Every structure is written in structure tokens, then in C-alpha cells.
Amino acid sequence: MVAINLIDYPRWPSLARESILNVPADIRNVKVNIDGRVIDYSGEVDSVVITGMGGSGVVGDIVSDLCWFWDCKVPIIVSKNMRLPRRLSKPLVIAISYSGNTAETIMSANEALSRGYPIIGVTTGGKLSTILSNKGVPVVLVPKASAPRYGLPSLLYPTLIILERFGIASVANELESGISGMERALKAIDEAERLAGELLNAIPIIWVGESRRGVGIRFKNDLNENAKYFAIVSIIPEGAHNDIAAVTTKQVGLRHIAIMGPNDYEGRYLETLLDVVSSFGAKPLVVKLEGSTPLESEMYGVTFLGITTLVLAHLLNVEPISTLPIDRLKEELDKRKLFPV
Ligand code: F6R
């Protein structure tokens, strides 16, 4: 196999370390005055809304996974929409957009401001940065990568620090282990090559438990965006009540792949599901997430599976970085003035 271009993956450990330096130390002392109404960042929050799309939005899914293991003090609401959920009481809103130009995220950020919620932007710049900074709202400016999804650690690590500063999760002791997870995956290229070879000529059905939803979604997104490959994520237990019924399909070739972490409470459930899937003739693959902390196994998973999709792109002779249909959709939305931003 020729050497795979790992794009920004080898920089992930340093992106994680660099990006957290940019979170303002005094973030809880911020007070923002919007049209005479003061938004006070020192107040108590009773939920965290993480809003963003695609490679930025997956940060919310990953944080949500981690909170199945950590003692997160408030619910994490993952929002991938142009509106915020209704009836929030005292939320902290974290608006994440790598480019800062994603209309859905800008609209959600504007809604947070008009509803008087404390909000923090995480971005490399763009309109989101300008709109928020002009109002005195804190923005964490993060280092750039070749495309949003390759900058994941730059978006995730500041978010974790924000959660720490707001007393929502105690993450400081785990950050280095997350970096170890990335480094470990960067050494597992042979394994990634083997797995990518197994995914050829079939639609991957990715089985994950609720507590690894983020790893499954990220893997699917990386298959879509890097390898331009369709894939489905089935989250169990729910997927065991519907998706599983289609394992007998004859219309398309399926490749079942289960992702399991070391201490996932859904582990035995997933094993049972795989036995049932196998009893219908399938030969499921199993990816075991390695790591001694939740963040380590999560970061091992997203890094290892991301690299696998780069290998798959290579095998398919597909250019991994560009995502022309996404760009075209954003242009069309812009042209048709769907969003007032
Ligand atoms: C492209 C990618 C996309 C973007 C999404 C939102 O690499 O990952 O899924 O992340 O279109 O754009 P940003 O992240 O700039 O807000």
C-alpha cells in the first residue's frame, strides 16, 4: 500500500493543545449588554446547548457521549438546526462553526442573543466571529485546518475547557489521555488499511450504543465526506427495534460494523445484537475502542475511524478533502436568501 496522505491528522495532538490556550481565563466574569439587557456569564446554568452543523456539530455529539461516563452537572442539548430548542430555562449556548459562515449556526447564535442567553462562539473567524465580537460576546478563535472536519480537536478541546470553567464537567485530568488516544490511532494505520479494505463494495451499517453515538455519527460523516461513501448509523437499543429488521435485504450489499468501547454499558446488548445479525448470515466486523478513560477511547475511535475513511478514499481513488455538493448547497441557500444572515 502506498503511503496514505493523513492530511491534518498528524497535527491533531498539537491542535488540541494549542486551541485550549485561546479560551479566555475570565470567561465567567463577562457581562454583555444587548440593547440595554445585561447577559451575565457568572450566573447559574441549567443546560448547555451545543449548536453547530456537520464537522462542527459533531462536537456536541461527542460531548453528549462523554456525559454518559462523566458526572456532567446539567443536560447537554445537541442542536443541529437553524433554530434553538424552545423553552430553555437558563442555558449556556456554545455555537461552533469552523468557518464561522454556516447560516444555521449564525441564526442559532442570533436567537440566543435575542433570548438573552450567555453564548460563546468557537470558530476560526468568519461572520460568526464578527457578529459576536462586535457585541462583546466571547469568541474562542481556533487554529485552521484543511477543512472543518480535520480541525475537530480545535473545536472539541476549547468546548471541554468551557464546560470546566462553567463547573459542568471536570475534564482537566482527562485532556492528555484524549491526546494519547489520538496518538495511539495514528500508529494503527495497518489496522485502518485492513478495515477500509473490508468496507469496499458494500453499504456500511454502523452499530453503536447511545454512549458512542458521536463516534458512530462521526464515522458516518467521514465516510460521506472523505470517501464520498454512503453509510448508515444505527444507534442501539433503538436500532434493535427497527434497523435490524432489514438485515435480510437482498437489494443492496451491507457490511455490518459494530463499535464498542471498553466500559460501554451497552456492551452486552451490542454483543447480543451481533449474534442475531450473524444468525441471518452476516459477518459483522467489530472495532474495539482502546483507552483507559472515556475521552481516550472516544478520541481513539474518531481518529482511527477517520483515518480508515482516508484509506477508503484512496482505495476508491477519490479526492478526500473537497465536498462540492455541500459547497453548492451553501451557495444555493445563500442565493435564494433562505437565511437572513
Ligand atoms: C466539511 C465539513 C462540513 C462542515 C459543515 C459546517 O469539512 O466537515 O460538515 O463542518 O458544512 O460548516 P462549518 O463547520 O464551517 O460550520
Side-chain angles (χ1 to χ4, degrees):
M1 166 75 74
V2 291
I4 300 294
N5 177 2
L6 295 176
I7 311 181
D8 295 306
Y9 280 95
R11 293 171 59 218
W12 274 26
S14 61
L15 285 180
R17 290 198 177 99
E18 268 172 51
S19 60
I20 58 175
L21 304 174
N22 298 343
V23 183
D26 58 351
I27 206 144
R28 296 231 62 188
N29 299 332
V30 171
K31 284 189 179 44
V32 179
N33 192 321
I34 311 266
D35 305 328
R37 182 181 188 182
V38 175
I39 306 178
D40 184 350
Y41 285 60
S42 65
E44 184 207 339
V45 301
D46 64 4
S47 67
V48 175
V49 179
I50 303 183
T51 180
M53 304 302 299
S56 298
V58 80
V59 170
D61 298 307
I62 292 174
V63 171
S64 172
D65 283 2
L66 294 167
C67 287
W68 284 105
F69 298 92
W70 295 346
D71 181 22
C72 296
K73 301 293 183 235
V74 299
I76 306 293
I77 301 169
V78 182
S79 184
K80 299 183 182 184
N81 199 353
M82 41 231 169
R83 298 182 58 191
L84 288 180
R86 298 176 67 175
R87 302 201 181 281
L88 299 166
S89 166
K90 285 180 277 177
L92 166 69
V93 177
I94 307 179
I96 308 179
S97 170
Y98 172 87
S99 63
N101 292 323
T102 299
E104 295 91 323
T105 315
I106 296 173
M107 283 184 68
S108 296
N110 277 332
E111 191 176 347
L113 288 175
S114 64
R115 282 157 74 171
Y117 302 150
I119 166 166
I120 300 166
V122 180
T123 180
T124 60
K127 289 185 202 158
L128 182 68
S129 161
T130 309
I131 292 169
L132 296 183
S133 311
N134 283 348
K135 293 190 153 63
V137 169
V139 174
V140 183
L141 284 177
V142 302
K144 291 203 169 160
S146 306
R149 60 192 178 282
Y150 305 121
L152 178 67
S154 306
L155 303 169
L156 174 65
Y157 268 59
T159 304
L160 296 177
I161 297 292
I162 292 168
L163 295 179
E164 172 98 32
R165 300 261 156 90
F166 277 78
I168 286 152
S170 179
V171 305
N173 292 338
E174 252 184 67
L175 295 177
E176 272 303 315
S177 72
I179 293 173
S180 305
M182 299 175 209
E183 286 167 342
R184 190 195 289 243
L186 280 160
K187 291 189 193 125
I189 309 290
D190 290 351
E191 184 62 13
E193 287 181 356
R194 194 194 58 71
L195 179 60
E198 298 271 8
L199 299 179
L200 283 170
N201 303 321
I203 297 182
I205 311 293
I206 304 160
W207 296 96
V208 275
E210 278 286 350
S211 65
R212 299 295 180 170
R213 174 192 280 266
V215 181
I217 290 175
R218 172 71 183 195
F219 184 30
K220 181 202 75 70
N221 293 354
D222 280 347
L223 283 163
N224 301 152
E225 295 182 327
N226 290 334
K228 326 301 184 224
Y229 216 60
F230 270 113
I232 288 160
V233 192
S234 182
I235 320 264
I236 62 125
E238 176 60 16
H241 297 273
N242 32 64
D243 292 310
I244 194 174
V247 299
T248 50
T249 184
K250 299 272 181 295
Q251 286 132 344
V252 282
L254 304 179
R255 196 68 169 106
H256 297 275
I257 167 164
I259 301 171
M260 288 182 183
N263 296 311
D264 298 1
Y265 70 92
E266 308 96 333
R268 299 233 6 240
Y269 196 113
L270 204 43
E271 277 164 19
T272 310
L273 176 128
L274 292 181
D275 286 344
V276 174
V277 167
S278 305
S279 73
F280 284 93
K283 294 194 172 51
L285 302 161
V286 176
V287 173
K288 294 227 155 113
L289 304 182
E290 297 173 17
S292 54
T293 69
L295 186 60
E296 182 170 2
S297 48
E298 190 88 358
M299 293 319 292
Y300 171 81
V302 295
T303 313
F304 171 71
L305 293 165
I307 291 172
T308 300
T309 67
L310 290 181
V311 180
L312 183 62
H314 175 80
L315 296 176
L316 295 168
N317 205 14
V318 160
E319 191 284 306
I321 300 178
S322 64
T323 46
L324 295 178
I326 299 178
D327 301 345
R328 187 170 302 170
L329 184 88
K330 287 181 180 178
E331 280 162 29
E332 280 301 318
L333 291 172
D334 212 29
K335 258 197 242 159
R336 297 179 196 195
K337 303 210 179 312
L338 251 75
F339 300 115
V341 289

